[in-house]
Amino acid sequence: MQQTAGFMRYAATVLCVGLVVCLPPPDFRVTSYAADQDEQTWQGTVTVVRRSHSESDKTQSYPPETDHHVSRSHYDTTATYQGFRLAAENDDMRSWLGSATVNLTVDASTYTFESSSMDSPVAKLYSEQGYDTRTTGSTVAQGVVKFYRYPNQDDPRRTTCRIEVDAADGWRDRPDLNVWEVGRSWSKQVPRPESTNDVWDKPVHEKHTLAPTFMDVSFDCDPKASSYSGRKQTEESGSDASELVTWNLSHRAADPEAVIVPPSGYDSWLPEAGKDESTRGNAITVTVRLHKAGDPSKPAGQKAKFRFVLSDVSEETGVCLNSPLKAKARGGSLWPDLKIDRASNPDLDVSDDGRSATSRDSAKSATVTITSYDWGAYGRLNATALLDGGGEITAHVEGGGELDLTIPRDDNGNHVADSWEKPFALKTFDAEADDDATPHDVGTEAYKGDGLSLYEEYRGFMQQGRHIRTSPLVKDLFVVDEIGRGTGDFAQSGILPHVVTEDEADFEKGPTPNKGVINFNRGFATRGPQHFLELDDVNLPGLYGEAQGDGPGPPWMTRRVAINVAACLERNKEHPGWGNEEVRSTTAHELAHGCNVWHHGETNYDILLWEKLDPKTNTWQAYNYHDGGSAMVASQGGQESGMEQCIMRYVGTTFYESPAGGVRWIKDGAYQYGAYYGPGEAPGHVFCKDQQGTGVNAPGRPGGPKAGNATKGKCRSQFCVNDHAK
């Protein structure tokens, strides 16, 4: 269809096309007026049907030859412009422009028959021949629609509307739009001349470009109307071609606004889980509703179905960091931590994976209930309104421009609920951060943290069958207590101990002496395995307790914390006023070794023979143990040194060094004078902050300090529970 000046003229009478299609005169109708429409946009369809038919039957005589020719053909193309939305080009509302999807089809055929009575050898070969050519095809591509409405130039009281359609730019440069396929069949097999080997009755398939061409149509119109429909039949002067244009345009109803409305309590909602990945935890219900654009107080005039989609959903293993055990824990894409459950959403068609759902009935609002399956679950919810009149609107969160509602609320995007973070006044919101620094005098800057990331502290643990979220400010230590007496005085360190059961701790293979790991279900934002310490009751001849492994050092270095409970209780019997202090202090002492804390010194030494001054004879008498055992001497700066009440200090031995003492022994080739240590002090119940000797180690003690200032001391500063500390 090629548009030229004067190409279109409008028929004023009934026009019949072919033998069966009769069309009435041009018909232009205003279909509706609407009060609440968007004058900025139009929508609808425009269809252009072009037809061309011809037929000839003639005989031409050229003495003495005769040539007879018969030809019949039809050529129909249909271009339907649809799915367009025309936007106003200017403020005066006189022209609107938009792109459209164009469905194009062609149906054409040509029949030709020729006969000849010519006497030449070639003419005899072609004395009688005929063939049919059939052309069919279709394609879909992009076009352009433009609509004008302006005062009539001849009569300003009238208004003219004009519709133009054309191919989009670049159409003809697209080879994938070559869609015509031509099949040619001849009436009988006739060889071509010897120059070719082709056979005429063999179908020939060719491809040609199918593309719409420019078309316009004008009609009188009411400038106040919100929709127009009509049709026009045209003829091309001097030919059998005709064109039928039909259109249906309407103002698009003003799009409503779709908003996601968080429920009350959204700001403080935290995910919870059941006992395993198949058990539902808590849930949150979200509403999406339509209202008039720009005016939330007025409901929308349209209804819609609503599509809900969960994205960026966590898929953590287990339900928290230590439950269920690794052998039973599940995770990955088949086990999302947030789901739209069918049971909780009877009015929605829910996908099999629970990540999306669509409301069954059209309404102005819909709700979706999202269930949590993990204590650290996170994800995003977006919603789309599928308008009954066509079109989609992406909902935004009420009160803001965000298109996704984070679940739980997570404005800083670290997958940790804001409401959980807020009370801690965190300085960083990095999900991998491990900045636990409380108590501030426990450990050094190099020893900060407890091996658990911010997200892991938030996701939490099972402790004695109850879920806990640990503090990102306070250092935590997990302990499996096989003795059943707890962690003793370890809490005096300021580190928070958590006693868990065997079913809440697991083991991993690796090069570390300690195989026990507390965060074995780790995943997102983990810093790696963090080990727990295991307390066991073990018979240790001559010892009250022992941290077994490669320590002192962080927990990964200690294979087991062994406590000789019977020996501790026996010592308690020797001092009825102590109660269980020896068990409590020894437990704390050995756990501290499992957290990098050393003795006050390591300079005590053993002797096999010593002499005691006899005051009556003023002579020295030799002594030793009958069983050949050794006696231990508390040296200055050794295990008994430092603060008397410190848990890491030894509390008594056989002798201590004292120049004025009545006992002597050989040390380094010379006599070392000392004294009997006497009854041991009560076990310590705090961790010291410095090296200063106190009590029996105080500098001003009569007879001198038993062991003096600590060589190491400052026990609180030595603590390191972070397995990843450098």
Side-chain angles (χ1 to χ4, degrees):
M1 290 175 286
Q2 197 169 19
Q3 177 65 27
T4 60
F7 171 76
M8 291 191 170
R9 55 188 177 85
Y10 308 123
T13 59
V14 174
L15 175 65
C16 293
V17 179
L19 300 177
V20 295
V21 181
C22 293
L23 299 174
D27 181 9
F28 316 132
R29 297 189 304 278
V30 172
T31 57
S32 68
Y33 295 89
D36 188 18
Q37 300 290 319
D38 178 11
E39 294 186 358
Q40 298 286 337
T41 60
W42 292 85
Q43 62 183 0
T45 59
V46 178
T47 302
V48 182
V49 180
R50 180 172 173 79
R51 291 188 154 185
S52 177
H53 296 261
S54 65
E55 183 172 339
S56 66
D57 188 348
K58 58 184 179 181
T59 301
Q60 294 178 326
S61 298
Y62 301 94
E65 299 90 0
T66 299
D67 185 20
H68 182 69
H69 179 86
V70 175
S71 178
R72 301 184 184 91
S73 67
H74 87 272
Y75 183 85
D76 293 347
T77 60
T78 301
T80 301
Y81 293 73
Q82 61 189 20
F84 55 77
R85 179 173 178 173
L86 309 183
E89 288 191 293
N90 45 48
D91 295 336
D92 59 9
M93 299 296 195
R94 301 184 72 172
S95 62
W96 295 261
L97 176 67
S99 61
T101 298
V102 189
N103 291 302
L104 285 153
T105 61
V106 63
D107 181 22
S109 66
T110 300
Y111 171 74
T112 301
F113 175 81
E114 295 178 352
S115 63
S116 175
S117 61
M118 295 175 8
D119 293 332
S120 68
V122 174
K124 289 181 180 180
L125 283 175
Y126 303 105
S127 61
E128 187 175 296
Q129 61 184 21
Y131 61 87
D132 289 310
T133 301
R134 183 73 178 176
T135 302
T136 59
S138 64
T139 190
V140 177
Q142 290 298 306
V144 177
V145 178
K146 194 165 187 177
F147 176 57
Y148 301 87
R149 190 170 61 185
Y150 49 85
N152 189 288
Q153 294 181 354
D154 299 327
D155 185 355
R157 294 171 299 177
R158 297 166 55 198
T159 299
T160 297
C161 287
R162 177 184 175 92
I163 300 172
E164 296 179 356
V165 296
D166 197 5
D169 290 340
W171 176 289
R172 295 169 183 83
D173 297 329
R174 292 179 55 186
D176 58 313
L177 299 177
N178 295 333
V179 296
W180 290 12
E181 191 169 275
V182 180
R184 179 178 296 169
S185 297
W186 293 83
S187 59
K188 66 178 182 179
Q189 181 171 338
V190 181
R192 285 186 180 275
E194 295 179 358
S195 60
T196 67
N197 295 321
D198 202 358
V199 178
W200 286 17
D201 68 347
K202 182 179 180 180
V204 178
H205 297 285
E206 301 174 351
K207 287 192 175 182
H208 302 274
T209 299
L210 176 61
T213 55
F214 179 84
M215 185 287 306
D216 67 9
V217 63
S218 300
F219 54 91
D220 288 341
C221 59
D222 184 339
K224 297 181 179 180
S226 62
S227 63
Y228 303 104
S229 64
R231 57 184 172 177
K232 270 193 174 183
Q233 178 78 54
T234 67
E235 293 180 337
E236 186 173 346
S237 179
S239 73
D240 294 325
S242 66
E243 198 166 52
L244 174 64
V245 183
T246 60
W247 63 90
N248 192 330
L249 298 180
S250 63
H251 268 315
R252 183 181 178 92
D255 279 344
E257 191 174 347
V259 293
I260 301 173
V261 184
S264 60
Y266 166 68
D267 289 350
S268 59
W269 187 86
L270 299 178
E272 298 178 4
K275 64 180 181 179
D276 55 35
E277 299 89 337
S278 300
T279 305
R280 286 183 289 178
N282 64 344
I284 184 170
T285 299
V286 180
T287 300
V288 178
R289 61 180 175 85
L290 297 174
H291 63 68
K292 185 177 179 180
D295 190 352
S297 66
K298 294 183 179 180
Q302 296 169 268
K303 292 183 179 180
K305 292 182 179 180
F306 296 88
R307 181 174 63 235
F308 302 96
V309 177
L310 286 171
S311 61
D312 193 22
V313 176
S314 57
E315 299 170 350
E316 296 296 293
T317 300
V319 298
C320 65
L321 286 165
N322 66 335
S323 183
L325 294 178
K326 289 181 67 174
K328 298 180 179 180
R330 292 169 292 189
S333 60
L334 297 178
W335 301 94
D337 297 334
L338 292 175
K339 289 177 63 177
I340 304 173
D341 287 327
R342 288 191 173 98
S344 303
N345 295 276
D347 297 327
L348 305 181
D349 287 325
V350 181
S351 64
D352 290 340
D353 62 4
R355 296 175 188 258
S356 63
T358 303
S359 57
R360 294 193 181 98
D361 301 321
S362 294
K364 295 183 180 180
S365 66
T367 61
V368 60
T369 298
I370 299 163
T371 303
S372 171
Y373 287 82
D374 194 282
W375 291 91
Y378 59 81
R380 294 176 175 273
L381 173 70
N382 64 69
T384 304
L386 310 176
L387 299 176
D388 285 355
E392 299 182 358
I393 300 175
T394 301
H396 66 85
V397 179
E398 186 178 46
E402 298 84 4
L403 300 182
D404 295 326
L405 182 73
T406 56
I407 299 176
R409 181 162 187 170
D410 180 23
D411 292 347
N412 56 34
N414 65 351
H415 301 320
V416 176
D418 293 345
S419 62
W420 181 80
E421 294 172 326
K422 187 175 180 179
F424 300 116
L426 299 175
K427 295 181 179 180
T428 177
F429 296 99
D430 184 352
E432 295 184 15
D434 182 17
D435 296 331
D436 309 63
T438 302
H440 298 291
D441 63 339
V442 172
T444 63
E445 179 65 21
Y447 296 161
K448 74 176 182 179
D450 54 14
L452 302 170
S453 69
L454 176 66
Y455 174 76
E456 288 180 320
E457 305 249 27
Y458 160 72
R459 190 182 178 206
F461 304 84
M462 296 303 294
Q463 179 184 359
Q464 306 286 326
R466 182 179 63 87
H467 182 265
I468 61 169
R469 301 182 193 270
T470 53
S471 169
L473 303 180
V474 179
K475 298 175 183 178
D476 301 284
L477 176 70
F478 286 83
V479 178
V480 173
D481 178 18
E482 298 286 7
I483 301 173
R485 290 178 172 270
T487 59
D489 290 328
F490 181 81
Q492 293 295 323
S493 65
I495 296 169
L496 190 58
H498 304 279
V499 176
V500 296
T501 66
E502 286 184 330
D503 292 335
E504 297 164 348
D506 216 331
F507 298 88
E508 295 182 358
K509 295 180 180 180
T512 60
N514 187 354
K515 310 298 183 185
V517 175
I518 193 60
N519 60 340
F520 50 84
N521 284 336
R522 62 190 178 276
F524 171 69
T526 187
R527 302 178 70 86
Q530 178 63 30
H531 296 77
F532 61 83
L533 294 177
E534 181 176 332
L535 281 170
D536 290 311
D537 184 0
V538 181
N539 181 23
L540 303 168
L543 297 175
Y544 293 114
E546 182 179 39
Q548 299 173 343
D550 295 342
W556 68 266
M557 298 181 69
T558 299
R559 177 176 56 83
R560 179 173 68 170
V561 176
I563 306 297
N564 190 345
V565 176
C568 291
L569 293 177
E570 186 63 30
R571 187 159 193 257
N572 286 338
K573 291 179 181 178
E574 297 172 2
H575 305 275
W578 288 5
N580 276 332
E581 286 193 26
E582 187 61 53
V583 177
R584 294 179 58 82
S585 184
T586 298
T587 300
H589 179 106
E590 302 303 337
L591 286 173
H593 281 323
C595 297
N596 196 54
V597 183
W598 293 69
H599 294 139
H600 282 190
E602 299 292 346
T603 57
N604 283 6
Y605 56 94
D606 293 327
I607 58 175
L608 297 175
L609 183 67
W610 61 93
E611 297 177 352
K612 181 180 178 182
L613 181 63
D614 185 346
K616 293 181 180 180
T617 63
N618 198 32
T619 60
W620 294 91
Q621 305 295 320
Y623 292 87
N624 66 350
Y625 286 125
H626 296 297
D627 60 4
S630 62
M632 180 171 284
V633 177
S635 67
Q636 295 295 299
Q639 286 90 318
E640 274 79 12
S641 65
M643 179 184 180
E644 183 177 320
Q645 294 80 26
C646 182
I647 292 170
M648 300 310 294
R649 172 182 173 271
Y650 278 17
V651 290
T653 182
T654 309
F655 303 106
Y656 69 94
E657 296 177 339
S658 173
V663 183
R664 67 182 185 183
W665 55 87
I666 299 297
K667 177 184 179 183
D668 297 330
Y671 278 117
Q672 170 67 56
Y673 290 86
Y676 282 100
Y677 196 93
E681 296 81 34
H685 53 82
V686 296
F687 291 98
C688 67
K689 298 181 180 181
D690 53 39
Q691 298 166 294
Q692 184 66 43
T694 66
V696 297
N697 292 323
R701 174 181 177 272
K706 287 187 175 181
N709 294 338
T711 300
K712 197 166 184 67
K714 301 180 181 179
C715 294
R716 294 180 68 83
S717 68
Q718 298 179 52
F719 275 95
C720 179
V721 295
N722 186 351
D723 278 336
H724 314 291
K726 303 299 184 182

